[in-house]
Amino acid sequence: MNAAEKLHDEYQRKLKLLQETCPHEKRSDWIEEWWAPGHSTDRKVKVCANCNKVLQAKRCCQICQQEFPEEELQTGDGRSLPFGSRYCAACYRAELSVVQETKADLSRDV
């Protein structure tokens, strides 16, 4: 392990400790998250003003375009619905229903 890797590991350990012990008293408003300039993650977050920990995250449902807390969204599995797609509960059920109907129609045609 070189000096830069050691420094990076030390920084990560200290940042993790700070984020675990921080009381998160000051939170940002909802801000768009970017993983690099010009590259959005398609989510909005609230972060602690002291330690930069992401405290809340939300994304849009791909069908109805309403924003939901990230943990409430269902994701596509890559078989029935596209991998990485995100749906609210109502749209997820509706999309699965359409897929099932299409499969049933195709099996009748064979």
Side-chain angles (χ1 to χ4, degrees):
M1 181 179 286
N2 66 25
E5 290 168 333
K6 288 178 185 176
L7 250 153
H8 181 73
D9 287 349
E10 180 183 349
Y11 166 77
Q12 291 296 330
R13 274 193 316 277
K14 288 181 176 181
L15 180 61
K16 183 178 179 183
L17 179 62
L18 171 64
Q19 290 178 338
E20 288 173 353
T21 58
C22 182
H24 311 304
E25 293 171 343
K26 282 190 168 185
R27 297 171 180 230
S28 70
D29 291 331
W30 287 108
I31 55 175
E32 193 171 341
E33 182 182 62
W34 299 76
W35 64 270
H39 299 278
S40 174
T41 62
D42 292 328
R43 70 183 203 162
K44 292 181 181 174
V45 295
K46 283 190 176 189
V47 296
C48 175
N50 184 47
C51 70
N52 288 344
K53 181 176 182 173
V54 173
L55 303 171
Q56 291 176 278
K58 63 182 179 179
R59 293 182 188 254
C60 288
C61 168
Q62 291 187 223
I63 303 299
C64 68
Q65 295 299 307
Q66 292 182 27
E67 290 181 336
F68 293 89
E70 201 169 48
E71 60 274 3
E72 290 181 16
L73 294 173
Q74 307 270 345
T75 57
D77 60 6
R79 284 182 251 137
S80 300
L81 297 172
F83 182 76
S85 53
R86 291 176 180 82
Y87 308 93
C88 66
C91 291
Y92 185 77
R93 285 190 302 274
E95 288 296 297
L96 280 180
S97 176
V98 169
V99 168
Q100 291 167 350
E101 288 175 20
T102 303
K103 284 181 181 179
D105 290 346
L106 290 173
S107 67
R108 280 194 292 268
D109 291 343
V110 175

